[in-house]
Amino acid sequence: MIRTRHLLIGLMIVLATLEAFANVQKPGNASQLKVKGDVLLQENRYSEALEYYTAALDKAKVDGDTHIYNACIGNISSIYVIMGDPKRGLYYMQQGYHNSEQAGDSTMMSNFAINLVGVYCMLGDAENARVFFRKQMQLATGDAVHDQYYAVYNQAEIAAVEGRLDQAIFYYQAALRIATEHNMDSKFAIAQVQAIGGIYLRQKQYDKAIEQFNEAVRRAREAGNDNRLGESYYKLARTYEMIGDSVSAAKYMAKYVAISDSLYDSNRFSTANDKLFEFENAQNQKQIDRLTTRNHTQLFIILIMLLVAGIVTWLYLALRRKNRSLQQAQRLLIRKNDELLKSDAQNRNLLQLYAQERESTPHDGESSEEKGKADNEPAQDDNRNDLGLTQEAINQLLRRITDVMEQVDVISDSDFGLAQLTQMVGSNVKYVSWVINEVYGKNFKTFLNEYRIKEACKRLRDHENYGNMTIQAIYQDVGFQSAASFINAFKKSMGMTPSTYQKLAREQQQEQTQE
């Protein structure tokens, strides 16, 4: 069962998100899909809402509608908060805030800042909650009552997290007055009454807590709000349980269960949560399937999707239970980053050692005239290899190959291949292939992929300059033509998928920034 406080804060975030992000509606498919998602979200049909929001994201991206795009990101984050995964919700909210900031959309920035305060309070992170509260106060949504209400409400949330309970009550009461005086939806007033009761409960002022929760029951009944009514019954049951009144506790718990069977039962939330992850996996799988398994039968596609969905779901639950793979992945990321940074130096050392080794071989009888012959001229003496190349020619060819491969714009051309490299270094395919195999111990395709993966890693880590680019855009920019070939080459080089690498790199950067 989702903790009541998390559910309460999550519902407040949904209210803020839906009201704020519904103000600007543009005609078009993206807007229509978002509106449908909003309706489904209000009806607690989370997986269906996520499907519509994802479709709206695709349309908004094509249309260049940044407002609808960021609004959908905000609502997706709210779904994860409601489903009891505030950390994932936080990830999307941060993404939405940065997207809005880059787009210069101060209204959307304000909405995201308001919601970020609530999620950080839910996670017990008062420091970051204050950071975004200051940003919230510097911005405005254009709705004075809305801004005033959330300015007071978020101060109450921060005070509660920091243990300043008397101040929290003061701010909750102020938010209640604003909601009442301006005839805001009854949900807002009931939420404040419940929050005040919760503070009294923390202070062990049980009579006052019961009084507040009973008031919340009265208001919820008048408004016909089963959500708030069920929450209030649950809070009364917990309060009576704490003071040892088992009869009253059982009575209110029975009322809560009667309502929660249709609203908050754990099976419903568990099923919705599974559907969210299955849906996300299906979207990713569809993109890969369209490129790599177009000729497979529908049955095969369904079986693969179900298998992958089951594996992803199992892995996710295992990670939640054990909570230890992240540190191992971060250590792997650090090691791979170090290897990436050292790769250029190692390659150059390899070239130097190779040249020194070959030059140390006796060259008796070799004339200056013979050394000056062109690379393509066949050898007639013992100082050339089986292909007729002198050591000087090999060294020069190695340097020219390295110079070309370090030109990112050249190797990122999807048409770039061995023939183009050969032409640019002024040699032939046989010589270039032999040199790469002899020096690096790998074929040209692997050699090229490693250079492209190195550039892709730089862009995946660089959120400041490439944060707006999708992984698909990055791999296409560095020369890969398909998701499958990029993922396979990336995993072979880095030991993880591109999305995992990007996620861990950004989390590591955030931790370093906080330290």
Side-chain angles (χ1 to χ4, degrees):
M1 184 179 295
I2 297 178
R3 287 182 296 178
T4 304
R5 174 172 173 77
H6 282 197
L7 182 58
L8 173 61
I9 296 177
L11 289 171
M12 293 299 293
I13 290 174
V14 168
L15 288 171
T17 303
L18 289 177
E19 291 188 357
F21 294 154
N23 289 336
V24 178
Q25 291 291 345
K26 297 180 180 180
N29 291 334
S31 179
Q32 293 171 358
L33 289 167
K34 178 191 172 296
V35 169
K36 180 62 176 178
D38 292 345
V39 172
L40 292 168
L41 182 56
Q42 289 176 313
E43 295 175 354
N44 299 331
R45 296 160 64 183
Y46 304 122
S47 58
E48 295 174 80
L50 181 59
E51 180 178 355
Y52 275 93
Y53 288 138
T54 303
L57 286 178
D58 292 337
K59 295 291 186 181
K61 194 72 173 178
V62 173
D63 297 340
D65 192 337
T66 58
H67 184 89
I68 293 295
Y69 183 91
N70 290 328
C72 291
I73 288 291
N75 290 337
I76 288 172
S77 69
S78 299
I79 290 176
Y80 279 105
V81 172
I82 284 294
M83 297 302 295
D85 193 350
K87 290 185 178 180
R88 196 173 182 90
L90 176 64
Y91 169 77
Y92 285 112
M93 285 186 189
Q94 289 173 332
Q95 184 183 83
Y97 180 85
H98 291 307
N99 289 346
S100 301
E101 187 175 31
Q102 292 177 350
D105 190 340
S106 61
T107 299
M108 195 70 74
M109 287 173 61
S110 177
N111 292 323
F112 277 113
I114 289 171
N115 292 334
L116 280 164
V117 174
V119 175
Y120 275 122
C121 286
M122 182 187 301
L123 296 172
D125 188 347
E127 181 179 353
N128 276 311
R130 284 193 169 277
V131 170
F132 281 95
F133 180 73
R134 287 192 292 269
K135 293 180 179 180
Q136 168 191 341
M137 298 306 293
Q138 293 170 357
L139 300 165
T141 64
D143 184 337
V145 175
H146 174 277
D147 292 341
Q148 182 185 10
Y149 174 84
Y150 280 104
V152 176
Y153 174 71
N154 279 347
Q155 287 186 81
E157 289 291 288
I158 293 172
V161 171
E162 293 178 340
R164 296 181 286 108
L165 303 185
D166 289 337
Q167 290 186 25
I169 290 177
F170 172 81
Y171 287 123
Y172 282 132
Q173 289 174 339
L176 175 59
R177 286 194 298 272
I178 294 171
T180 303
E181 291 171 0
H182 293 280
N183 296 319
M184 297 177 71
D185 191 287
S186 60
K187 303 181 188 72
F188 294 93
I190 298 172
Q192 303 311 312
V193 174
Q194 289 178 329
I196 293 170
I199 297 298
Y200 283 139
L201 191 59
R202 290 174 63 180
Q203 293 178 327
K204 298 183 179 180
Q205 298 187 53
Y206 300 115
D207 291 341
K208 290 185 177 181
I210 291 172
E211 180 182 353
Q212 291 296 316
F213 295 146
N214 278 324
E215 173 64 13
V217 168
R218 183 188 67 79
R219 289 172 178 261
R221 282 176 176 169
E222 290 180 354
N225 189 326
D226 288 341
N227 286 349
R228 301 298 184 187
L229 184 60
E231 293 169 15
S232 301
Y233 283 146
Y234 179 80
K235 292 176 182 294
L236 280 168
R238 292 302 304 273
T239 304
Y240 280 115
E241 181 182 352
M242 293 176 68
I243 63 178
D245 188 344
S246 58
V247 175
S248 297
K251 180 182 71 173
Y252 285 109
M253 184 58 71
K255 292 182 177 183
Y256 164 73
V257 170
I259 294 178
S260 65
D261 282 343
S262 60
L263 295 177
Y264 305 124
D265 64 282
S266 58
N267 289 334
R268 176 179 179 179
F269 278 104
S270 177
T271 300
N273 193 41
D274 290 342
K275 286 183 179 179
L276 287 172
F277 285 98
E278 289 174 5
F279 177 78
E280 284 189 334
N281 182 71
Q283 295 304 302
N284 294 331
Q285 192 64 41
K286 283 178 182 178
Q287 183 178 7
I288 296 175
D289 289 342
R290 283 195 297 266
L291 299 172
T292 60
T293 60
R294 192 170 296 175
N295 295 326
H296 286 73
T297 65
Q298 185 65 31
L299 177 60
F300 178 77
I301 294 175
I302 293 174
L303 290 175
I304 292 296
M305 291 173 62
L306 291 175
L307 176 62
V308 175
I311 292 173
V312 170
T313 302
W314 180 85
L315 288 175
Y316 171 75
L317 294 175
L319 287 173
R320 285 177 64 89
R321 289 193 301 267
K322 297 180 180 179
N323 194 24
R324 64 187 180 187
S325 298
L326 179 59
Q327 290 183 346
Q328 296 174 354
Q330 288 175 329
R331 287 195 293 269
L332 174 62
L333 176 64
I334 292 172
R335 186 170 70 251
K336 287 295 183 179
N337 281 338
D338 291 340
E339 293 173 358
L340 196 63
L341 292 174
K342 294 176 181 178
S343 63
D344 287 341
Q346 290 173 341
N347 286 342
R348 292 187 178 278
N349 288 338
L350 181 61
L351 294 177
Q352 184 177 1
L353 289 172
Y354 177 81
Q356 291 174 352
E357 178 182 348
R358 296 299 298 266
E359 288 173 353
S360 64
T361 304
H363 296 277
D364 295 339
E366 181 178 11
S367 67
S368 59
E369 181 180 355
E370 290 172 333
K371 292 181 181 179
K373 291 182 179 180
D375 290 348
N376 296 339
E377 185 178 343
Q380 301 296 329
D381 56 50
D382 295 336
N383 296 318
R384 297 173 182 266
N385 65 11
D386 293 340
L387 296 179
L389 292 172
T390 66
Q391 184 57 42
E392 181 180 357
I394 293 172
N395 293 344
Q396 290 176 355
L397 185 54
L398 278 171
R399 285 191 291 271
R400 291 198 295 269
I401 291 172
T402 301
D403 289 341
V404 172
M405 297 303 294
E406 289 180 350
Q407 299 177 39
V408 175
D409 57 333
V410 173
I411 65 171
S412 296
D413 187 341
S414 59
D415 294 328
F416 181 77
L418 181 59
Q420 289 76 12
L421 175 61
T422 299
Q423 183 179 7
M424 294 180 72
V425 300
S427 184
N428 60 52
V429 171
K430 182 187 295 185
Y431 290 171
V432 172
S433 296
W434 181 88
V435 168
I436 292 174
N437 278 276
E438 176 72 12
V439 177
Y440 294 98
K442 61 192 68 173
N443 59 34
F444 171 75
K445 181 179 179 180
T446 302
F447 184 59
L448 174 61
N449 280 346
E450 288 180 355
Y451 270 91
R452 288 175 171 175
I453 292 298
K454 178 175 66 175
E455 179 61 25
C457 285
K458 291 180 182 179
R459 299 186 183 190
L460 289 170
R461 293 196 310 270
D462 191 350
H463 181 68
E464 180 178 353
N465 293 314
Y466 298 97
N468 283 334
M469 292 185 67
T470 62
I471 292 179
Q472 179 182 359
I474 289 176
Y475 78 65
Q476 289 176 343
D477 256 11
V478 300
F480 286 94
Q481 294 182 319
S482 73
S485 62
F486 174 65
I487 293 172
N488 290 335
F490 197 97
K491 289 175 67 176
K492 181 178 179 181
S493 179
M494 301 303 296
M496 66 185 77
T497 64
S499 59
T500 299
Y501 179 89
Q502 183 183 54
K503 179 177 181 293
L504 293 174
R506 291 183 179 177
E507 287 180 356
Q508 181 183 356
Q509 290 171 354
Q510 290 174 357
E511 290 178 0
Q512 292 173 349
T513 301
Q514 292 174 357
E515 292 175 358

